[in-house]
Amino acid sequence: MFLGRHHTLIHAIGKGDRKAFRTLYDLFSEQVFNLALSYVHNRKDAEEVTQDVFVSVHRNAARFRGEAAVSTWIYRIAINKALNRIEKNKRTPSFQADSTDEAWPIFDHPGVVLENKERAAYLFRAIHALPEKQKTAFILGFVEDLPRQEIADVMELSLKAVESLLQRAKANLRKKLEKMYPHRRK
């Protein structure tokens, strides 16, 4: 039922329905922004990625074939736009005095409580250092809390492959975090 509603919205957007576009934007913009923020680590870039995602959704709605859930399609676009933004930022570095911590401001993700911002910044640095597929699976699974099957659909992988990526990501993160917090080892 809900899946049908999203497909109906995309179909209407493809025909130029602005109200349908606004409805879709309202339904998905927060998730897209949070996903983008998990990749690019600053509000300005996350806002630009979010805008790019919805421009792409608007432009391509008429070509949406409906082979996947609308949310899966939007997440794929968001991941690609976020990765493109990261690459663009690598090619055109900003003019900051020291970009090591400037690129990781006191972390500004909506789910982070103020007193945990320093730890969250370190955690997201560690997540960002994961291999690309592990990072994507981890962000979708543990930051965005998507069901495993939707992660598999977004990443165009089998469920077993996603589970494997998540296990490797957790193991790699555990190693990195144990270096920072050796007293917390069990």
Side-chain angles (χ1 to χ4, degrees):
M1 181 176 112
F2 202 58
L3 181 68
R5 177 178 178 225
H6 293 161
H7 279 85
T8 302
L9 287 172
I10 291 295
H11 183 71
I13 293 166
K15 292 185 174 195
D17 185 333
R18 289 183 177 178
K19 186 175 178 184
F21 181 75
R22 184 64 196 183
T23 300
L24 189 79
Y25 180 84
D26 290 345
L27 285 169
F28 288 101
S29 61
E30 186 175 340
Q31 294 101 312
V32 168
F33 175 79
N34 289 339
L35 178 64
L37 190 58
S38 294
Y39 275 90
V40 298
H41 308 288
N42 73 66
R43 294 187 79 73
K44 181 179 179 268
D45 283 346
E47 288 166 355
E48 289 179 16
V49 166
T50 301
Q51 180 178 346
D52 291 347
V53 167
F54 285 98
V55 166
S56 185
V57 165
H58 189 269
R59 285 184 180 154
N60 295 297
R63 287 177 274 195
F64 179 71
R65 295 184 309 253
E67 295 172 356
V70 171
S71 59
T72 299
W73 181 59
I74 291 173
Y75 274 116
R76 277 187 200 141
I77 294 169
I79 291 166
N80 289 332
K81 296 291 183 184
L83 292 173
N84 290 344
R85 173 64 57 165
I86 290 168
E87 283 304 311
K88 179 183 176 190
N89 288 348
K90 284 180 184 175
R91 288 190 309 268
T92 56
S94 62
F95 295 100
Q96 295 173 333
D98 178 52
S99 64
T100 55
D101 277 334
E102 298 295 326
W104 299 89
I106 295 178
F107 201 72
D108 203 18
H109 195 282
V112 179
V113 180
L114 182 62
E115 61 267 13
N116 292 327
K117 287 188 185 282
E118 186 176 313
R119 286 183 183 159
Y122 184 81
L123 174 62
F124 275 88
R125 275 190 207 108
I127 292 168
H128 187 67
L130 289 171
E132 208 61 55
K133 285 186 178 184
Q134 288 180 31
K135 176 172 59 174
T136 296
F138 189 87
I139 289 171
L140 292 174
F142 296 110
V143 178
E144 296 304 315
D145 201 28
L146 290 184
R148 300 297 188 255
Q149 185 58 56
E150 188 165 2
I151 297 167
D153 293 344
V154 168
M155 295 183 72
E156 299 178 318
L157 298 171
S158 70
L159 192 55
K160 190 172 184 174
V162 167
E163 289 295 340
S164 176
L165 286 170
L166 289 170
Q167 291 300 322
R168 285 183 293 180
K170 288 192 310 187
N172 285 334
L173 285 174
R174 188 174 296 116
K175 288 176 192 173
K176 292 176 188 293
L177 295 175
E178 283 175 350
K179 289 177 185 175
M180 182 173 184
Y181 301 105
H183 60 282
R184 296 188 78 177
R185 288 185 187 155
K186 291 186 177 184

